[in-house]
Amino acid sequence: MKHRIVVLGAGYAGAFAAGNLARRLSPADTEITVVNAVPDFVERMRLHQLATGQDLAFRKLADIFAGTGVRLRLARVTAVDPERRTVAVTGEDCDGELAYDTLLYALGSSVAPHGVPGVAEYAFDVTSLSSALRLRERLAGLGEGGTVLVVGEGLTGIETATELAESRPDLSVALAARGELGAWLSPKANRHLRQAFDRLGITVHEHTSIEAVEPTRAIAADGTSIRADVTLWSAGFAVHPIAAASGLQVAETGQVVVDRTMRSVSHPDAYAVGDCAYAIGENGRPLPMSCASAGSTTMQATAAIIARLTGSKVPTVGLKYYGNHISLGRRDAIFQMVDGDVRSKSWYLGGRMAARLKSGVLKGAGWGIVHPTFGMPKRKRHLATARDRAGAKVAA
């Protein structure tokens, strides 16, 4: 019987993992299934561009995985049972249960409302294709002088605010920050950021905590009312409660607690990667939810899965966080390096060069996903015998 590998989610982490596993493991021994709710590979890092009116082409997952041996199931995951090693799904393409021998949990994250009244009813976000399209439609209906408030001074908030202000100069764009804008950046990078906000005409409300969202305004903690025809919520991310409900050990954040190889500390047949993994980096701190973290955790997880199944020594992939790369519209950006304690270094790259670098990173990531068989080895690895794998487990 073939070893059944089920990958939940086909975002950057899940799609890359499925392609990597298909490249290296023999289809005679393994069966790889990817479960995803939508038929397209969605470049989440570009959804703010889609929302602001730019036309982006998304590739069909069926086309991406064609000829790779990866089975695609278009369905929504409703539950995971790690004791029975099954996944409950529902959808037009697959309804019922899928059994697995190895599970790779890569369901990502969504917007975190933090219990703020009105966020679920009235706010918009750019954490999924459907939410970005919903925002795009709303923004298209705003005439000159319309107001947009972006809540959250993190990377998503900054990128969305600047993208919107550049794409729609007819709108009045503001950003509400709980603290100071770009406080984590080096002094020079912070000046660059503020100059970009000034150039784009973005109003910044610093030290402003939004406590309620209404249809045409947001209410700050001090009672101040901020007019907003559209409130865009980017004040953090949260993972789906499926993992916690399944019995997998999770952190307070709901992320799956994993060991150094991205394997669940409570259920060794399950691995987690990307935003939904509570992984400790080389600096002893949890890796942040980011595309960079998705890349390193996915490479570590796939390497570990392949090694354990083939009876090899599990390699160690670096789990470092090197810095923040922030788009400021299409022609400007900031690349800020950080040290081992995640403190910004004095050096940074800004302007058109940084924007071209960011564009290259996005294109490279997208290209790697849609070409899952690139560099496929001529001879794929067969699974080791149970005895060999047991020996490898002791060594690992």
Side-chain angles (χ1 to χ4, degrees), residues 17 51 59 66 82 108 139 157 183 188 327 374 393:
R59 291 285 299 273
L139 291 173
K188 290 183 179 179
S327 294
F374 180 76
K393 182 181 292 186

Side-chain angles (χ1 to χ4, degrees), residues 83 94 129 153 158 169 181 192 203 205 218 224 237 265 333-334 337 356 367 374 382 392:
E83 303 300 333
C94 186
L129 178 59
E153 68 273 29
I158 290 173
L181 179 66
H192 187 114
T203 301
H205 302 279
T224 301
F237 302 102
V265 297
I334 291 173
M337 297 289 289
R356 285 194 289 267
W367 191 93
F374 180 76
H382 287 279

Side-chain angles (χ1 to χ4, degrees), residues 110-125 127 131 134 151 210-215 217 231-235:
S110 59
V111 68
H114 298 303
V116 175
V119 171
E121 295 84 359
Y122 307 118
F124 294 79
D125 66 85
T127 61
S131 60
R134 174 173 168 261
V151 180
I210 300 301
E211 298 295 324
V213 176
E214 297 180 359
R217 65 175 184 168
T231 296
L232 199 158
W233 194 262
S234 60

Side-chain angles (χ1 to χ4, degrees), residues 245-257:
S246 72
L248 290 167
Q249 184 174 331
V250 299
E252 292 183 1
T253 58
Q255 296 168 291
V256 179
V257 180

Side-chain angles (χ1 to χ4, degrees), residues 7 32 57 71 154 187 200 243 255 277 298 310 326 349 371 392:
V7 180
I32 303 170
R71 302 168 59 194
L200 294 169
Q255 296 168 291
T298 302
T310 58
I326 316 165
L349 179 66
H371 295 85

Side-chain angles (χ1 to χ4, degrees), residues 79-359:
V80 174
D81 188 337
E83 303 300 333
R84 296 175 52 236
R85 293 192 299 187
T86 60
V87 178
V89 298
T90 181
E92 296 181 4
D93 197 31
C94 186
D95 203 352
E97 284 189 342
L98 293 175
Y100 67 83
D101 298 301
T102 296
L103 179 72
L104 186 60
Y105 191 100
L107 291 179
S109 62
S110 59
V111 68
H114 298 303
V116 175
V119 171
E121 295 84 359
Y122 307 118
F124 294 79
D125 66 85
V126 289
T127 61
S128 69
L129 178 59
S130 59
S131 60
L133 290 174
R134 174 173 168 261
L135 174 59
R136 179 187 176 107
E137 181 179 4
R138 179 69 181 97
L139 291 173
L142 287 184
E144 184 174 356
T147 56
V148 179
L149 174 67
V150 178
V151 180
E153 68 273 29
L155 305 187
T156 301
I158 290 173
E159 291 197 334
T160 305
T162 52
E163 192 79 47
L164 181 56
E166 181 179 271
S167 301
R168 291 290 304 274
D170 58 314
L171 300 178
S172 176
V173 180
L175 182 143
R178 292 178 63 92
E180 295 183 7
L181 179 66
W184 72 92
L185 294 170
S186 64
K188 290 183 179 179
N190 185 276
R191 285 196 296 271
H192 187 114
L193 175 65
R194 290 178 178 274
Q195 288 169 0
F197 268 61
D198 291 341
R199 170 173 53 82
L200 294 169
I202 303 172
T203 301
V204 180
H205 302 279
E206 294 185 311
H207 305 289
T208 301
S209 176
I210 300 301
E211 298 295 324
V213 176
E214 297 180 359
T216 59
R217 65 175 184 168
I219 309 299
D222 62 0
T224 301
S225 174
I226 303 175
R227 180 190 168 192
D229 297 314
V230 171
T231 296
L232 199 158
W233 194 262
S234 60
F237 302 102
V239 298
H240 199 284
I242 285 178
S246 72
L248 290 167
Q249 184 174 331
V250 299
E252 292 183 1
T253 58
Q255 296 168 291
V256 179
V257 180
V258 295
D259 64 14
R260 182 58 178 77
T261 68
M262 303 303 116
R263 184 164 60 175
S264 165
V265 297
S266 61
H267 294 80
D269 297 316
Y271 294 74
V273 294
D275 286 356
C276 53
Y278 188 81
I280 304 302
E282 294 179 14
N283 60 2
R285 302 180 182 183
L287 290 174
M289 293 185 182
S290 69
C291 186
S293 298
S296 59
T297 57
T298 302
M299 287 189 287
Q300 177 63 79
T302 54
I305 291 171
I306 293 166
R308 289 187 172 117
L309 291 182
T310 58
S312 305
K313 181 179 179 181
V314 177
T316 299
V317 175
L319 298 178
K320 293 182 179 180
Y321 192 74
Y322 293 97
N324 299 312
H325 205 162
I326 316 165
S327 294
L328 304 174
R330 295 296 85 212
R331 295 179 294 276
D332 193 5
I334 291 173
F335 183 55
Q336 174 70 72
M337 297 289 289
V338 300
D339 61 20
D341 293 321
V342 201
R343 294 176 300 194
S344 293
K345 296 183 178 180
S346 59
W347 180 88
Y348 89 102
L349 179 66
R352 288 182 178 273
M353 181 64 73
R356 285 194 289 267
L357 179 59
K358 178 65 179 286
S359 178

